[in-house]
Amino acid sequence: MSALAYNGGSTIVMTGKNSVVLACDMRLGTNLLTVSNDFGKVFRLSSRCFVCLSGLVTDIQTVYGLLRRCANLFVLKEGREIGPSEATHALSALLYQRRFSPYFVEPVVAGLENWSGVEDGMSVPFVASLDLIGCISTSSNFAVSGTSSHNLFGMSEALWVENMTADELFETTAACLLNAVNRDAFSGWGALVTTVTEAQVRTRRIKARQD
Amino acid sequence: MECLIGIRGKDFVLMAGDSVAGRSVVAMKKDHDKMYQLSNRLLMAACGEGGDTVQFAEYIAKNIQLYRMRNGYDLSTKAAASFTRRNLADYLRSSTPYFVNLLIGGYDDSDGADLYYMDYLGSMVKLPFGVHGYGSFFVLSVMDRYYKEDMTRDEALVLLQRCIDEIHERFIINLNSFKVKIVDKEGIHVMKDLRPTTKQPEETPGTQSMDIV
C-alpha cells in the first residue's frame, strides 16, 4: 500500500474575506484497522500561522517537529513570529532536502499574511499546498490533501464562493470535509475545525459519523 | 504472533503481554516477559523482530537511567515516549531500522497515568487503551464496548480477562498465558499471570447412535 495512504487522513483549508478555516479528520489507522479517533492533523506554528499535515504519521510528527524548531528559531532571530508564506518556503526547502528519500507528507500551510498583532484589517488570508518533495502551489481559494483529496476537490469547487464571512466559511469548510470523508474508508471519525481571524483563533470539534 | 495490551485507568496503567517467545512454528519459551522497566514509574512493552526488541528496549532503558543520573530526576512519561519516538524515527531511514512495536505506560505527578502507543515506523499516539499484534483485531472491539474512563484496578483486570478470553476463543495461535503489570504512583507492581478462563466442557450423553432411523 502507498505510504501516503497507510495511516489515512484528510485535510482542507479555505480562505474567506478576512479569515481562513482549516479542518482535518481525526482518524489514525494501520491499513484497515483504526487505532485512534483522536489524532488531529492541524498544527500551530505561530499565533496566526497553521499547517495541516496528512500522510504517514511518523513523518507528520517528524516534519512538525522540524517546522516547530524552524518557527521558534525564527522568533529568536527575527524578533517576530513566522508568517505563512515564510513558513511555506521553509517547509519547501526542508522537504526538498530529502528529495530522494522523501518525508511522506502532503502539507497545507494557511494563515493571515502581514499579521502585525493588532486587528487593523491589514492582514490577508493565505493558503498554499505542497507536495511531498516541496513543490509550492499558492491558491486564492482553497487547498486540500489526504486520502480523500479527490472528494474534497469536488466538494470545495462546488461550495466555495468569494468573500465569505468567518461563520459562513466555517459551515462551508465543515460541510466539504464531512461529506468528502464520509465517502472515504481511510478518513473520518470526527473533525477538528480551526477558524483563524484577526480577532481570535477558535477550534471546534465536530462529532460526525463514527465509522 | 505476539499480543500486547495496555489499559489506562484512573491513576494507573495496566499492561499485559503474552508470554510466548517463538520462532516460526516453534514456541521456544512459555514464560517470557516482554515488558521492560525504564524507570521507577515507566514501563515499556515491546514486540516485533526478535533481537531488535531486546536491543532497542535496553538501549532506551539505559538512556532513561542516564538522564536520571545526570539530572537527578526522572523523565516524564511524555518526554520518555517522545525520546523513544525520535530514536525509532531516526533509525527508520538508516541502514539499521528497528522493527519494534511499543506500548509505553507511566505515571508522573503532573499528568497522572499515561499510555502511549507506538508502531515500528515511529508513529506515536496517546490512547486510553492500546493493543499490538493480531490480537488487536479481536480485542479492540471488546475494549470499545466495555472500557470506561477512570476505571478501578479490579475493573481493569476484569476487562483484561475478557480480552484474553476473546483471544483464546477466536485467535488461531494459542496464547494461553499473559504477564501482567500495573504502573502507578507507587511504582511498578507485578501481578499474577492471567490465563483464559477455562470453560467446563458440556456433558455429552454417552455414545450417541449414528443410525439413520
Side-chain angles (χ1 to χ4, degrees):
Chain A
M1 185 187 254
S2 150
L4 288 168
Y6 180 73
N7 289 126
S10 308
T11 66
I12 179 175
V13 176
M14 284 189 158
T15 57
K17 192 158 164 49
N18 33 34
S19 59
V20 283
V21 174
L22 309 96
C24 67
D25 74 317
M26 300 299 281
R27 181 180 180 270
L28 187 157
T30 308
N31 278 337
L32 54 95
L33 181 73
T34 299
V35 169
S36 173
N37 55 6
D38 199 18
F39 187 74
K41 297 158 189 85
V42 177
F43 303 97
R44 195 193 86 103
L45 291 179
S46 78
S47 56
R48 297 290 186 279
C49 175
F50 291 77
V51 63
C52 300
L53 292 161
S54 66
L56 196 63
V57 168
T58 180
D59 287 343
I60 289 177
Q61 292 176 323
T62 303
V63 168
Y64 172 56
L66 291 166
L67 263 181
R68 232 180 100 205
R69 175 179 175 268
C70 178
N72 290 341
L73 280 171
F74 189 96
V75 171
L76 293 171
K77 288 181 185 171
E78 299 251 340
R80 63 184 176 91
E81 285 187 319
I82 197 168
S85 61
E86 292 153 334
T88 307
H89 283 89
L91 182 52
S92 171
L94 200 156
L95 292 171
Y96 197 78
Q97 278 207 305
R98 293 270 177 273
R99 168 64 179 83
F100 297 110
S101 169
Y103 291 119
F104 294 102
V105 290
E106 285 175 333
V108 176
V109 183
L112 295 176
E113 192 66 27
N114 298 329
W115 163 245
S116 51
V118 288
E119 289 168 55
D120 53 5
M122 299 295 286
S123 57
V124 178
F126 175 95
V127 67
S129 61
L130 299 93
D131 70 358
L132 77 170
I133 47 173
C135 172
I136 303 174
S137 189
T138 321
S139 180
S140 60
N141 43 12
F142 53 81
V144 303
S145 81
T147 47
S148 63
S149 59
H150 295 241
N151 305 358
L152 284 164
F153 270 125
M155 287 299 312
S156 308
E157 205 62 64
L159 298 187
W160 189 86
V161 288
E162 259 193 294
N163 292 332
M164 279 192 276
T165 65
D167 289 328
E168 288 172 340
L169 197 59
F170 166 80
E171 295 293 341
T172 310
T173 313
C176 285
L177 182 77
L178 257 32
N179 286 295
V181 305
N182 283 347
R183 277 287 185 179
D184 179 23
F186 293 101
S187 307
W189 285 93
L192 195 67
V193 188
T194 305
T195 310
V196 183
T197 54
E198 283 199 340
Q200 60 171 348
V201 171
R202 203 165 158 202
T203 303
R204 281 173 271 212
R205 189 94 184 245
I206 303 181
K207 184 166 183 179
R209 281 188 68 100
Q210 301 289 297
D211 63 357
Chain B
M1 305 302 157
E2 301 164 294
C3 184
L4 300 174
I5 303 175
I7 302 172
R8 183 186 72 212
K10 189 166 166 42
D11 51 0
F12 67 94
V13 180
L14 174 67
M15 301 204 13
D18 75 285
S19 46
V20 179
R23 261 291 188 288
S24 169
V25 294
V26 179
M28 292 188 296
K29 188 171 155 73
K30 293 286 202 60
D31 56 357
H32 182 233
D33 188 1
K34 292 173 186 164
M35 291 183 273
Y36 301 87
Q37 178 165 353
L38 301 182
S39 77
N40 283 345
R41 301 193 292 190
L42 258 180
L43 191 62
M44 178 164 83
C47 74
E49 189 73 53
D52 289 354
T53 46
V54 181
Q55 292 288 84
F56 187 73
E58 288 187 354
Y59 170 72
I60 298 293
K62 300 308 170 213
N63 270 287
I64 305 281
Q65 286 305 310
L66 182 61
Y67 184 95
R68 172 73 208 247
M69 285 175 209
R70 281 181 175 156
N71 299 290
Y73 59 89
D74 280 321
L75 269 174
S76 66
T77 318
K78 185 172 180 175
S82 296
F83 170 73
T84 311
R85 189 207 97 75
R86 173 111 312 273
N87 269 286
L88 263 180
D90 286 344
Y91 275 110
L92 180 69
R93 284 156 201 264
S94 73
S95 47
T96 56
Y98 286 102
F99 188 87
V100 194
N101 296 314
L102 304 167
L103 282 177
I104 297 181
Y107 183 93
D108 45 62
D109 297 315
S110 46
D111 299 317
D114 274 336
L115 175 68
Y116 287 90
Y117 170 105
M118 210 174 310
D119 77 354
Y120 68 99
L121 298 167
S123 324
M124 180 176 90
V125 67
K126 188 156 95 93
L127 288 178
F129 52 85
V131 192
H132 275 299
Y134 285 113
S136 61
F137 290 104
F138 307 101
V139 160
L140 282 172
S141 326
V142 176
M143 298 273 212
D144 282 332
R145 170 67 180 85
Y146 292 109
Y147 176 85
K148 46 189 216 296
E149 284 294 327
D150 294 340
M151 288 202 294
T152 64
R153 282 157 183 67
D154 290 328
E155 287 171 337
L157 281 165
V158 166
L159 174 57
L160 181 60
Q161 185 64 55
R162 271 191 207 273
C163 295
I164 292 169
D165 288 343
E166 186 59 30
I167 292 172
H168 178 72
E169 179 73 30
R170 289 295 181 182
F171 189 32
I172 209 168
I173 303 291
N174 181 29
L175 301 174
N176 67 350
S177 170
F178 278 71
K179 293 255 180 252
V180 183
K181 292 189 183 160
I182 288 186
V183 192
D184 64 13
K185 203 178 164 91
E186 271 78 53
I188 299 175
H189 313 280
V190 181
M191 314 295 286
K192 254 177 19 151
D193 285 2
L194 280 185
R195 294 175 174 277
T197 339
T198 39
K199 283 188 279 210
Q200 292 302 320
E202 279 169 22
E203 290 288 317
T204 43
T207 45
Q208 286 176 328
S209 168
M210 298 259 301
D211 289 344
I212 299 166
V213 177

